[in-house]
Amino acid sequence: RLWTRDEERRFPAHTPPEILHSDLAGLALELAVWGAAPDELRWIDAPPSALYRQACDLLRELGALDANGAVTAHGRKMAETGLHPRLAHLMLEGVRYGLGTLASELAALLDDRDVFIGESAHHNADLRLRVEALRGAAHGEQTDDARLARLREEAGRLRRQFGISPQKESGTLHGKGNADEVERAGMLLACAFPDRIGAAKGNGRFLLSNGRGAEFVRTQPLSAARFVVVPEVDDHGQWCKIYRAAPVSAEELEIALSGRIVEEHRTEWDREEQAVKSERVARIGALVLRRVPDADPDPERCVSVLLDAVRSEGLAMLPWSAAAVRLRQRMAFVGRLQPDGWPDVSDEGLLASLETWLAPHVYGMRSRADLQRLRLEIALDTMLDREQKQRLEAWAPTHWTVPSGSRIAIDYQDPNLPVLAARLQEVFGLRQTPRIGGGRVPVTMHLLSPAMRPVQITRDLESFWKHGYFEVKKDLKGRYPKHYWPDDPESAEPIRGTRPPAHRNGAPGR
């Protein structure tokens, strides 16, 4: 081999010990059979704990170890074969399914370099073609004939070791006849590589059941497969490269990995549909095999998903009617005066307590459209007990009756400065500014012209009558000469119309 001096300077002083970076599945199985743990032994170089855990996880997936890490009967059979645990499991499962001959050929192929050479090794990663080449049908691909001969011998040795007689194999799967056993290659490989089953993501890319992404080196027939098993990858980079693979159907995966398929109910918020989406999902690791709509989802879960959606998208998702907004503003006003024990109706407070005040009102709802049926004023009202409701009515009345007899709504948009907007002529005779909040807070009076435009804003009505009124009167009397502008507003008769009723003797009012 040749290398440059610069490359030579970057070489490590020694080749790293193989145990620090190799697949430790065989070692982990051997120790399990011994009944020993790595920390009970003396090592020249101890196996890395992370790699060892990965190896044990794989052995559990292959059925070689139980949940406690003890070797199983199947694991002992695997260890007795002398093969790598994946290949041992492949062989034992092949015998069980009556596909031992195919299993022996796949095991031989996976334990050596590719039999295809040149461009043939790159343009089609399908392992089924390698099996057919091993059986003498090369389909025009370039093959290494010497390697093929050696692998045929290895496949024969495996058949003899496992007592496989091709003539006696049924080639059946749960009673279903197998017309072409080579097509079952993907199913057998899934048994040995449950962590490398890929689901199509488009453009020749796949999500593997171990959570990694994988892609073919170049576009090829398997790029269009829905599911593949990937026994050989270059596990570097964001998307590892697939070198050899085989297609597999969802039905075959459910047969091969029936004990490892997790069935779960998923109820989630679909942001595009703006609705709760509930489905039953079958998965292997990160890989979803099938999903079907769940027509009868858990109502508690639906409520929880709806509340999470409100938290995520904000309170604007809810139908805030004018009545609900006014009630919330009144509650905020009282809460500012006496916060202890009073419900927090700020955005943060309402979002934090959705389970208390909103949840009981959204049972049976599953979408944003459903939420529009809510009457939020009723939901907010349930946050108050009887005593708090009485205090709300006393401290934050919805309306105030002015001297003219009109009931005018109080605006609590700013909880620090509640507003009472009334025509100036309707509050004649009102000497003091109305006070709310248990007498603690004077309302902000917006005194309006006959055209309902503010002419004065004050929180001290008494001072306004004494000092500000006469300037306002001078201006308004010129613009609205037909209206009533008394000289003494504190004792004048309040009116709703243009002028007060005539006196009993028929004289016009002043």
Side-chain angles (χ1 to χ4, degrees):
R1 297 183 181 180
L2 300 176
W3 52 80
T4 66
R5 290 189 181 278
D6 184 57
E7 289 173 328
E8 185 174 20
R9 280 193 291 269
R10 293 199 298 269
F11 285 166
H14 305 282
T15 301
E18 189 174 354
I19 197 171
L20 300 182
H21 57 80
S22 295
D23 179 352
L24 301 182
L27 173 65
L29 180 56
E30 189 174 357
L31 292 184
V33 171
W34 289 355
D39 56 6
E40 297 173 347
L41 304 174
R42 296 176 62 187
W43 303 85
I44 296 174
D45 293 289
S49 58
L51 285 180
Y52 194 81
R53 282 196 303 272
Q54 290 177 12
C56 290
D57 289 342
L58 173 62
L59 292 176
R60 272 187 282 271
E61 287 196 75
L62 299 179
L65 300 182
D66 62 20
N68 298 319
V71 67
T72 64
H74 181 65
R76 291 187 183 279
K77 288 181 181 178
M78 289 168 57
E80 290 169 2
T81 68
L83 300 173
H84 184 280
R86 288 190 192 270
L87 300 185
H89 185 61
L90 171 66
M91 289 301 305
L92 291 170
E93 290 294 275
V95 171
R96 184 165 75 91
Y97 286 124
L99 295 168
T101 298
L102 176 60
S104 66
E105 292 163 334
L106 289 170
L109 286 166
L110 294 175
D111 205 27
D112 205 331
R113 286 184 293 170
D114 198 354
V115 297
F116 287 175
I117 57 178
E119 281 299 305
S120 296
H122 301 294
H123 82 267
N124 199 323
D126 197 335
L127 265 165
R128 296 173 302 175
L129 295 179
R130 275 80 173 167
V131 173
E132 291 175 350
L134 205 60
R135 296 182 176 187
H139 299 295
E141 307 288 352
Q142 290 180 284
T143 57
D144 183 330
D145 294 336
R147 183 170 294 126
L148 277 174
R150 186 171 66 252
L151 293 182
R152 290 186 186 112
E153 291 180 5
E154 174 61 15
R157 186 192 68 77
L158 288 171
R159 286 195 294 274
R160 291 189 295 275
Q161 177 183 347
F162 285 85
I164 297 168
S165 173
Q167 291 76 21
K168 295 182 180 180
E169 288 192 317
S170 64
T172 60
L173 297 173
H174 294 206
K176 296 183 179 180
N178 181 17
D180 186 357
E181 66 174 0
V182 175
E183 295 302 314
R184 299 297 186 186
M187 192 209 72
L188 286 183
L189 290 170
C191 296
F193 296 88
D195 54 328
R196 294 192 196 165
I197 300 166
K201 302 293 288 183
N203 299 320
R205 289 185 165 183
F206 294 81
L207 173 66
L208 301 184
S209 48
N210 62 13
R212 288 296 311 275
E215 62 182 353
F216 287 106
V217 177
R218 63 182 66 178
T219 301
Q220 54 187 280
L222 285 184
S223 299
R226 182 186 173 197
F227 295 107
V228 294
V229 186
V230 187
E232 187 177 337
V233 294
D234 175 9
D235 198 11
H236 294 91
Q238 182 179 2
W239 291 86
C240 52
K241 304 301 179 186
I242 301 172
Y243 292 128
R244 287 191 279 184
V248 63
S249 69
E251 180 188 27
E252 289 172 327
L253 288 174
E254 297 208 32
I255 293 172
L257 302 173
S258 58
R260 299 170 185 83
I261 294 175
V262 177
E263 298 270 357
E264 59 186 27
H265 291 259
R266 290 185 182 176
T267 303
E268 301 169 337
W269 182 250
D270 187 324
R271 297 194 68 177
E272 184 175 342
E273 297 291 333
Q274 290 287 290
V276 176
K277 182 179 181 181
S278 188
E279 57 188 5
R280 294 194 301 274
V281 177
R283 64 175 177 82
I284 301 172
L287 190 74
V288 174
L289 289 181
R290 53 181 163 80
R291 57 176 81 228
V292 294
D294 187 355
D296 188 26
D298 178 4
E300 295 283 349
R301 178 61 184 155
C302 288
V303 169
S304 178
V305 169
L306 269 178
L307 298 186
D308 287 344
V310 173
R311 283 196 180 93
S312 175
E313 301 195 20
L315 292 172
M317 184 177 179
L318 301 176
W320 289 97
S321 65
V325 170
R326 287 194 296 268
L327 176 56
R328 182 184 177 190
Q329 291 171 348
R330 291 170 62 214
M331 292 172 68
F333 170 73
V334 176
R336 184 184 67 83
L337 298 177
Q338 193 172 58
D340 292 344
W342 192 262
D344 181 359
V345 292
S346 66
D347 283 3
E348 296 78 10
L350 289 178
L351 290 173
S353 60
L354 291 175
E355 286 78 9
T356 302
W357 68 274
L358 186 60
H361 302 273
V362 298
Y363 269 83
M365 296 185 178
R366 296 187 187 178
S367 67
R368 185 168 191 155
D370 289 342
L371 290 176
Q372 304 314 303
R373 303 198 308 266
L374 281 170
R375 293 188 60 187
L376 288 181
E377 65 273 21
I378 295 176
L380 291 172
D381 185 69
T382 61
M383 300 178 74
L384 303 173
D385 59 29
R386 181 178 179 182
E387 182 182 342
Q388 289 172 328
K389 290 177 182 179
Q390 291 173 345
R391 188 187 312 159
L392 178 70
E393 294 304 315
W395 285 23
T398 60
H399 293 75
W400 191 275
T401 303
V402 295
S404 68
S406 297
R407 289 184 74 249
I408 298 177
I410 300 175
D411 183 352
Y412 293 90
Q413 183 173 356
D414 183 347
N416 295 305
L417 296 171
V419 171
L420 180 65
R423 289 174 63 241
L424 177 60
Q425 291 162 316
E426 292 201 55
V427 295
F428 288 156
L430 182 63
R431 300 189 177 190
Q432 300 290 332
T433 304
R435 303 180 76 86
I436 55 178
R440 299 188 224 181
V441 181
V443 299
T444 300
M445 299 291 298
H446 284 202
L447 301 175
L448 311 178
S449 71
M452 303 300 287
R453 296 188 181 90
V455 295
Q456 184 71 31
I457 297 175
T458 182
R459 301 184 76 191
D460 186 350
L461 196 57
E462 186 177 12
S463 176
F464 169 72
W465 293 138
K466 286 182 170 58
H467 307 291
Y469 169 74
F470 298 101
E471 288 297 319
V472 170
K473 172 187 173 182
K474 186 187 303 182
D475 176 57
L476 293 180
K477 191 173 182 179
R479 286 191 286 158
Y480 304 98
K482 295 182 179 180
H483 286 72
Y484 179 52
W485 306 108
D487 294 332
D488 184 5
E490 291 183 86
S491 60
E493 182 179 359
I495 61 170
R496 295 182 185 179
T498 304
R499 304 186 69 82
H503 293 297
R504 290 183 180 178
N505 59 7
R510 297 194 177 190

